[in-house]
Amino acid sequence: MAERRGTQTIERTFRIIREVAARSHFGARLTDVALRCGLDKSTTQRVLAALVRERVLEQRASDRRYLPGPLLFEFGLTVPIYRVLQDAARVPMERAARRCRGASFVYLRSDAEAVCLARVDHVAVKGAWAQPGTRRWLASLAAGLAIVVELPAAEADVLINDYLGMLEQAGDPMTAERSVVVQQSRRLGFGINNGKVAHGLASVAVAIHDPSGAPFASLSTVSDVGPYTNADLQDVLVALRADALAIEHALARRMENDRGSPDGLAPVSME
């Protein structure tokens, strides 16, 4: 029983951390964190205070809202494949953003969510508001769907059904349109939102695979030149897949070179 109570404490703490991280741009209020985590305010406040002491979270003096702390960033720096991905994606992202005359993104899968790792703007795209650290439902955007469509069918079904169920429960007026985006992406085998939800914006995304072949991230573009014609979409897709493949090759080379090396990660060469 003691072991289970200890596990529950850890799970509760991570629920709170996730809740604060999901609201990193505006900060999270104590009341909202407690409500969304299903905890009473006194318990939530004690956990938050401990996390602030450990630098996992910060509390903004001006409005007392909670934000991710420096220790989270420091921990993230120790994940080798994510550090490599940031380096390897830089040039392909610049190329993709320039080609689509918009913005490019790399998203990571985080369970049922997608987390923006990096963004590159060639021109400003009104309506493309995601920044590094932004978290979204995996099935809610083309960048996440690029990963979902390559997962085993049963796993993809759970992610999609949970997302659509959440939309229906919330009474989202765009549920039908969002469902069309999901089904179209699944049918085509890549992430696509061709102006179905955000009118005038077109987003295309392809999966990025880790060295074992599993889809763990995605490369996407967003532009306001859409919707794409079928011919334009095919051109975008071919180029984007080539960029994703370049990232995968750089990842594989770097991870292979670093096996057994005690001296850390060497710079990535995209040449």
Side-chain angles (χ1 to χ4, degrees), residues 137-156:
W137 280 79
L138 198 64
S140 71
L141 70 168
L145 287 167
I147 300 170
V148 172
V149 300
E150 294 203 13
L151 296 174
E155 185 177 0

Side-chain angles (χ1 to χ4, degrees), residues 78-158:
T78 68
V79 183
I81 195 167
Y82 291 169
R83 284 192 289 160
V84 176
L85 180 59
Q86 284 183 305
D87 288 342
R90 180 179 53 82
V91 172
M93 287 182 71
E94 292 172 352
R95 188 163 55 230
R98 184 171 58 250
R99 191 172 55 240
C100 78
R101 301 191 299 280
S104 63
F105 300 83
V106 167
Y107 276 83
L108 298 169
R109 182 187 177 184
S110 177
D111 195 16
E113 295 179 316
V115 182
C116 181
L117 176 72
R119 170 178 180 154
V120 170
D121 291 275
H122 180 64
V123 298
V125 180
K126 186 178 180 180
W129 51 268
Q131 298 294 332
T134 298
R135 304 178 74 92
R136 301 273 301 278
W137 280 79
L138 198 64
S140 71
L141 70 168
L145 287 167
I147 300 170
V148 172
V149 300
E150 294 203 13
L151 296 174
E155 185 177 0
D157 284 342
V158 170

Side-chain angles (χ1 to χ4, degrees), residues 148-149 152-154 156-157 160 181-190:
V148 172
V149 300
D157 284 342
I160 290 169
V181 169
V182 170
Q183 299 308 322
Q184 184 180 30
S185 296
R186 205 167 191 187
R187 185 177 69 254
L188 295 175
F190 60 92

Side-chain angles (χ1 to χ4, degrees), residues 3-177:
E3 182 180 352
R4 178 57 185 159
R5 283 199 297 270
T7 301
Q8 287 176 330
T9 300
I10 295 171
E11 291 171 347
R12 180 177 60 196
T13 300
F14 273 96
R15 284 206 308 273
I16 290 173
I17 294 172
R18 287 192 188 96
E19 184 59 37
V20 174
R23 282 151 186 79
S24 60
H25 293 296
F26 302 104
R29 300 186 304 174
L30 168 62
T31 302
D32 295 334
V33 174
L35 180 64
R36 291 192 176 96
C37 292
L39 302 170
D40 61 76
K41 287 179 65 174
S42 61
T43 298
T44 305
Q45 189 168 32
R46 285 198 303 273
V47 176
L48 286 168
L51 291 170
V52 169
R53 286 196 301 272
E54 296 297 329
R55 300 171 58 248
V56 175
L57 300 179
E58 291 182 329
Q59 188 174 28
R60 193 162 52 204
S62 61
D63 58 10
R64 312 302 293 168
R65 293 189 178 217
Y66 293 90
L67 302 162
L71 191 60
L72 288 179
F73 181 79
E74 294 162 14
F75 282 159
L77 293 174
T78 68
V79 183
I81 195 167
Y82 291 169
R83 284 192 289 160
V84 176
L85 180 59
Q86 284 183 305
D87 288 342
R90 180 179 53 82
V91 172
M93 287 182 71
E94 292 172 352
R95 188 163 55 230
R98 184 171 58 250
R99 191 172 55 240
C100 78
R101 301 191 299 280
S104 63
F105 300 83
V106 167
Y107 276 83
L108 298 169
R109 182 187 177 184
S110 177
D111 195 16
E113 295 179 316
V115 182
C116 181
L117 176 72
R119 170 178 180 154
V120 170
D121 291 275
H122 180 64
V123 298
V125 180
K126 186 178 180 180
W129 51 268
Q131 298 294 332
T134 298
R135 304 178 74 92
R136 301 273 301 278
W137 280 79
L138 198 64
S140 71
L141 70 168
L145 287 167
I147 300 170
V148 172
V149 300
E150 294 203 13
L151 296 174
E155 185 177 0
D157 284 342
V158 170
L159 292 168
I160 290 169
N161 291 337
D162 285 352
Y163 168 62
L164 296 178
M166 178 277 297
L167 292 178
E168 291 179 3
Q169 186 175 12
D172 190 305
M174 299 290 287
T175 297
E177 290 83 353

